[in-house]
Amino acid sequence: MPDISLMDKISSLCKRRGFIFQSSEIYGGLANTWDYGPLGAELKRNVKNLWWKSVVQERMDMVGLDSAILMHPAVWKASGHVDGFTDPLIDCKECKKRFRLDNLKDTPDRDVKECPACKAKIDLRLNPARMFNLMMKTSLGAVEDESAVTYLRPETAQGIFVNFLNILDTTRKKLPFGVAQIGKSFRNEITPGNSTFRTREFEQMEIEYFVRPEEDQKWYEAWINDRFNWYIKCGINKDNLRLRVHEKDELAHYAKACSDIEYNFPFGWSELEGIANRTDFDLRQHEEHSGKELVYFDTAENKKIRPYIIEPSGGVDRATLAFLIDAYHEEKVKEETRVVLKFSKDLAPIKVAVLPLLKNRPQIVGMAKDIAENLMSEIRVVYDDTAAIGKLYRRQDEVGTLFCVTVDVGSLEDNKVTVRDRDTMLQDRVDVSRLKEYLRDRLK
Ligand code: ATP
């Protein structure tokens, strides 16, 4: 059952605490466009770092890439995006709103649909769907003629395909190997919405994994497994994840198989990441359009191979949203509701908050600031003295800070501080000289 009130609570927390802001808010906002605030920027960075660590740093068979958003217009012709990256679009003549055909409600007459906004009947024979290309057009240089037209990339994948030879030449990788890339993509979505779930500007984390054609199934399954388990390892409750295998008639024309990892969002189960077997379609297309042979030379067998490609493709923004939702907990503590974001250690935007118990005692404040500064080079810490301790704890719980270090009057005497654990709320008394080591250990 979708839980819309949960989504409202999370959206309001995100705004109030600086995870996600409406873009250009002082000008009335730009619809469905979002800015990540100080805490959102930390969280999103942690998501990307964990992904990179798992798919590049910890694997011998993977390398990274950072290709340009703007590409030669011929790329989009070869990839099929110019001709095929379209959604059927319907304008409701009554309320003037625009919908994707598959978002209209069915009626007993298959040629008549119902507008989801104003409930007007839409006769598809009189008001047929128009195909709408989702690529965002732009023009390069000072002269705005057709030759200058190109597109903001709608996926990062093409940057990897067109660099296939460069990567082979420079890294001397043997099959199977893969290339990972994180970057912005743009799609003129007809129905953006649900916060950062579907936007027109978003960030992707994509892998193109090149394999021998006869080993495609094995690697397709291995990547589904790896990627599914990554979300669990990052802290998502596995009951909120499921795999949805695409039916044959749902598959994109280039794909042999595709599975989505879905998350149980408050607005229903929806795609977090897709893993597709793209066969050798992309390399063949670019070979045809560029005239460059895009093959791998197998020295052992003395033959050319055009690899098949397994593509795990996920969204940074969708993953970040899912991590936020999954971390959200409300607990009853002494008749009060405690809101806590239970991020995993690696994801938590702030690891440690240093708090003085009394903000008008210069010695306590000085000691707390010294402690924060001492930890800063190694651990993401904040210092806060703008409220009473109870309130400071609640503020840190609400953004998922793992530990609160409190300096009190006793600290001035015994050089010890109180370390409070976010989840158990248990407190340890730790000598300041051992604090860094203690935290290092607990953050492992
Ligand atoms: P959907 O069916 O939800 O539109 P898709 O199947 O078109 O997604 P892909 O082309 O497979 O998406 O893109 C890979 C990933 O990029 C998606 O799983 C998603 O996480 C992310 N993504 C795609 N489109 C958007 C968008 N408009 N806003 C945010 N993230 C997106």
Side-chain angles (χ1 to χ4, degrees):
M1 194 62 182
D3 182 357
I4 300 306
S5 71
L6 173 62
M7 201 57 210
D8 287 343
K9 282 184 197 170
I10 289 168
S11 300
S12 124
L13 188 151
C14 281
K15 173 159 190 347
R16 190 158 40 77
R17 299 308 312 276
F19 281 94
I20 299 171
F21 302 130
Q22 168 89 71
S23 162
S24 321
E25 198 179 351
I26 59 167
Y27 287 99
L30 178 65
N32 302 300
T33 314
W34 305 97
D35 297 338
Y36 288 85
L39 290 175
E42 298 275 357
L43 176 62
K44 196 176 173 201
R45 178 181 293 255
N46 291 345
V47 171
K48 291 191 274 188
N49 286 348
L50 280 180
W51 183 84
W52 193 267
K53 180 162 181 275
S54 132
V55 306
V56 180
Q57 187 186 321
E58 293 176 352
R59 298 182 65 125
M60 296 295 225
D61 55 349
M62 293 283 301
V63 293
L65 180 75
D66 187 349
S67 67
I69 288 174
L70 298 172
M71 300 183 74
H72 194 291
V75 168
W76 307 113
K77 191 79 190 142
S79 68
H81 283 87
V82 170
D83 298 321
F85 195 55
T86 48
D87 270 349
L89 175 84
I90 295 279
D91 285 317
C92 174
K93 299 264 191 277
E94 293 296 322
C95 67
K96 313 285 182 226
K97 291 207 170 104
R98 187 166 270 191
F99 302 95
R100 250 164 55 178
L101 181 59
D102 58 357
N103 290 148
L104 298 185
K105 296 212 170 91
D106 287 332
T107 70
D109 182 346
R110 55 189 276 270
D111 289 322
V112 178
K113 304 280 177 188
E114 187 184 284
C115 170
C118 72
K119 311 270 179 260
K121 297 284 179 281
I122 300 173
D123 190 330
L124 298 180
R125 289 161 299 204
L126 305 173
N127 183 5
R130 285 182 295 123
M131 294 312 275
F132 176 75
N133 195 299
L134 299 182
M135 277 201 297
M136 277 200 203
K137 246 188 200 167
T138 188
S139 56
L140 301 177
V143 187
E144 279 197 30
D145 63 11
E146 269 307 301
S147 67
V149 166
T150 189
Y151 304 91
L152 302 183
R153 66 180 175 197
E155 59 177 28
T156 66
Q158 300 301 325
I160 301 181
F161 302 138
V162 302
N163 275 298
F164 175 69
L165 292 181
N166 282 337
I167 291 167
L168 262 186
D169 287 349
T170 52
T171 67
R172 308 192 179 281
K173 285 279 172 210
K174 300 259 180 288
L175 288 181
F177 73 93
V179 183
Q181 145 150 275
I182 299 177
K184 290 262 179 160
S185 293
F186 301 82
R187 296 181 188 177
N188 229 337
E189 298 278 2
I190 300 164
T191 46
N194 285 326
S195 177
T196 50
F197 178 82
R198 188 183 302 286
T199 50
R200 297 190 171 113
E201 170 184 346
F202 55 97
E203 210 164 355
Q204 291 185 303
M205 317 185 269
E206 294 199 293
I207 295 166
E208 306 303 325
Y209 196 75
F210 301 92
V211 304
R212 290 171 191 276
E214 64 277 15
E215 293 185 344
D216 63 339
Q217 187 59 21
K218 174 177 116 185
W219 286 108
Y220 171 62
E221 286 167 20
W223 274 110
I224 292 176
N225 244 328
D226 271 24
R227 295 301 308 139
F228 198 91
N229 288 328
W230 180 79
Y231 289 97
I232 297 172
K233 202 171 148 207
C234 292
I236 292 221
N237 175 353
K238 68 176 186 318
D239 295 339
N240 286 332
L241 286 175
R242 73 178 186 194
L243 196 70
R244 192 180 70 80
V245 180
H246 284 214
E247 302 291 338
K248 280 269 171 289
D249 61 358
E250 261 185 280
L251 291 176
H253 58 285
Y254 53 76
K256 187 170 155 190
C258 187
S259 296
D260 289 344
I261 298 172
E262 295 188 334
Y263 179 72
N264 188 11
F265 284 96
F267 43 84
W269 286 94
S270 310
E271 174 180 338
L272 264 185
E273 170 162 351
I275 297 106
N277 178 349
R278 294 181 76 122
T279 71
D280 59 356
F281 173 83
D282 304 278
L283 291 180
R284 253 191 302 114
Q285 285 295 108
H286 285 301
E287 187 166 297
E288 221 169 82
H289 284 75
S290 69
K292 299 274 183 320
E293 194 176 39
L294 300 181
V295 291
Y296 169 89
F297 189 74
D298 188 327
T299 43
E301 293 183 33
N302 203 24
K303 68 169 189 194
K304 292 174 184 170
I305 298 173
R306 189 173 301 102
Y308 269 31
I309 295 173
I310 308 301
E311 177 191 74
S313 167
V316 180
D317 310 87
R318 279 191 197 177
T320 303
L321 184 62
F323 287 128
L324 265 164
I325 293 166
D326 220 71
Y328 185 90
H329 285 78
E330 288 178 6
E331 296 174 351
K332 274 263 166 291
V333 180
K334 292 193 205 132
E335 300 308 305
E336 273 193 42
T337 304
R338 176 172 97 117
V339 173
V340 47
L341 289 183
K342 296 194 172 179
F343 290 123
S344 66
K345 286 180 187 163
D346 292 326
L347 277 183
I350 306 293
K351 313 297 179 200
V352 175
V354 184
L355 316 168
L357 191 67
L358 301 168
K359 68 169 173 187
N360 44 16
R361 287 282 296 271
Q363 279 168 299
I364 295 183
V365 167
M367 185 171 176
K369 285 187 175 163
D370 284 350
I371 290 173
E373 264 170 37
N374 182 256
L375 295 174
M376 220 155 64
S377 63
E378 213 174 296
I379 299 170
R380 186 69 186 96
V381 300
V382 292
Y383 168 87
D384 191 5
D385 65 7
T386 56
I389 194 69
K391 193 159 186 195
L392 293 180
Y393 280 158
R394 275 200 301 283
R395 272 190 202 158
Q396 296 303 328
D397 288 345
E398 203 183 36
V399 300
T401 303
L402 294 161
F403 299 104
C404 287
V405 170
T406 308
V407 180
D408 53 30
V409 181
S411 310
L412 301 176
E413 313 269 304
D414 63 4
N415 206 38
K416 288 186 175 157
V417 288
T418 303
V419 181
R420 171 186 177 272
D421 179 293
R422 177 194 70 194
D423 297 338
T424 62
M425 291 187 283
L426 293 176
Q427 306 193 347
D428 260 352
R429 197 79 183 155
V430 181
D431 200 283
V432 174
S433 63
R434 276 193 52 240
L435 183 63
K436 207 180 225 177
E437 193 188 324
Y438 171 93
L439 290 169
R440 212 182 268 148
D441 229 43
R442 303 259 340 241
L443 286 168
K444 236 183 234 158

